[in-house]
Amino acid sequence: MPRPTRSTSRTSGSRSAKPRPAPRRYEHFELEALKGLEAVAEAELREVPYVRGGGPLPSGGVRFQFAPDPLVKNGWERLARLRGAVAVYRVHSWDVPRPKALLGHQVLGEVMAYLRSVIEMGGHQSFRLSAAGKDSETFTRLTQEIEEQLGLPHHPEEGELLLRVRPCETEPGWEILARITRRPLSARAWRECNMSGGLNATIAYAMHRLSGQRERDRIFNPMSGSGTLLIERALMGPLDAIVGVDIDPDAVKCAQTNIRAAKREIEVAQVDALNTGLPDRSFDLVISDLPWGDAIGSHGGNEALYPAFLQEMARLTARNGRLCILTHEIKLFERVLAAQTRWHARELFQVYSGGHYPKAYLLSK
Ligand SMILES: C[S@@+](CC[C@H](N)C(=O)[O-])C[C@H]1O[C@@H](n2cnc3c(N)ncnc32)[C@H](O)[C@@H]1O
């Protein structure tokens, strides 16, 4: 006997009446990259689901919208995992003629609600302001209001919630950019040990990204220092083998500390990169930031080191091997390249970092 239609339809109705997921809402953000690495950082960003719109601003930042998963407690966590960016900021703008208007009753209420939402996601414990004229009366009052209303201490140098207040770039008004993380994204959680001459991790990420990642890659990082290039590659995905060497025993210990903190397995040894005793063609990718002759090594020493390095790495790389080099000794490196015939070089990027402007090259045989 057929079942009553009403009953059936009720049953199926209640089955399909699962709670609908809350709709995703797009919010406005800005990505900050090292000067010279904007394209790498933006390419990584565009791979993130639910990122849309925007693009580079004249000032170099990259505007975009992102819709966090409303079911996840920290919906911005995916943005905090970007490796090519220095920082990501939530952006809110107000159509006001000057920053003083941010202190008006209604706008100030909106500013506080906005900052509360950022702190809720990021767990910031203090704040600081970055603005032209940040010691002015207006910004001093804004600082006091944030301290009082949000109970967040102001630390002008080390404040975790970095607030950039500036005129909007593409429309009238003023905007506040609030960094979503307590520390810059370039300050990696794995970095427990630092060395003089340590490489910025976003540059290491960019070098690997532009050198290509292959699961069958046997990777060598001569002059591995604190291990930045090793760890960043190990975090990027599968590979066949990865090994680093440094002549300085303290650097080897430092790299091992960081590798442990990153929970990766990477071999690092105290060996002269020019005398490893390894067989010919041991590696598919050799990647290194050579001494620049200031913090590490000397310009005179580099005159001999650079040509010897290119020759030895030609021996150690496979026939289709790649050699990725970052250096600030640009004139020397290009002179040495021009004087040899084994390697063909392509410039990958030039990046501004810590007062230096080094270049990265990808060499093939
Ligand atoms: C620019 S630092 C590398 C920084 C490293 N990428 C990091 O993130 O910490 C250069 C390193 O080369 C090492 N070095 C210099 N000459 C070397 C050689 N002949 N063999 C192995 N390591 C060497 C130095 O001890 C130093 O740690």
Side-chain angles (χ1 to χ4, degrees), residues 168-300:
C168 300
E169 278 188 54
T170 53
E171 56 192 357
W174 280 75
E175 61 192 11
I176 302 182
L177 282 74
R179 194 176 69 199
I180 66 169
T181 49
R182 294 167 68 171
R183 302 204 305 151
L185 299 181
S186 48
R188 305 294 207 234
W190 55 255
R191 191 176 286 288
E192 289 184 358
C193 174
N194 247 316
M195 296 282 301
S196 165
L199 184 60
N200 180 309
T202 61
I203 302 180
Y205 170 84
M207 288 169 70
H208 277 297
R209 191 168 165 119
L210 298 176
S211 300
Q213 289 83 60
R214 296 171 195 163
E215 288 190 24
R216 58 181 158 74
D217 271 347
R218 298 161 298 160
I219 302 166
F220 183 41
N221 174 210
M223 313 194 179
S224 47
S226 61
T228 316
L229 281 160
L230 294 168
I231 297 168
E232 286 298 310
R233 175 59 185 89
L235 292 172
M236 283 171 88
L239 47 85
D240 185 48
I242 185 161
V243 58
V245 298
D246 201 288
I247 207 158
D248 175 357
D250 289 339
V252 172
K253 274 191 213 123
C254 181
Q256 286 165 342
T257 301
N258 288 332
I259 290 166
R260 261 194 308 279
K263 300 189 171 61
R264 301 288 127 171
E265 295 217 344
I266 302 168
E267 193 186 330
V268 188
Q270 188 201 341
V271 175
D272 181 347
L274 302 181
N275 288 295
T276 57
L278 290 164
D280 294 359
R281 304 196 197 108
S282 292
F283 300 105
D284 304 294
L285 172 66
V286 175
I287 188 159
S288 185
D289 54 325
L290 295 174
W292 298 348
D294 43 19
I296 308 282
S298 67
H299 296 296

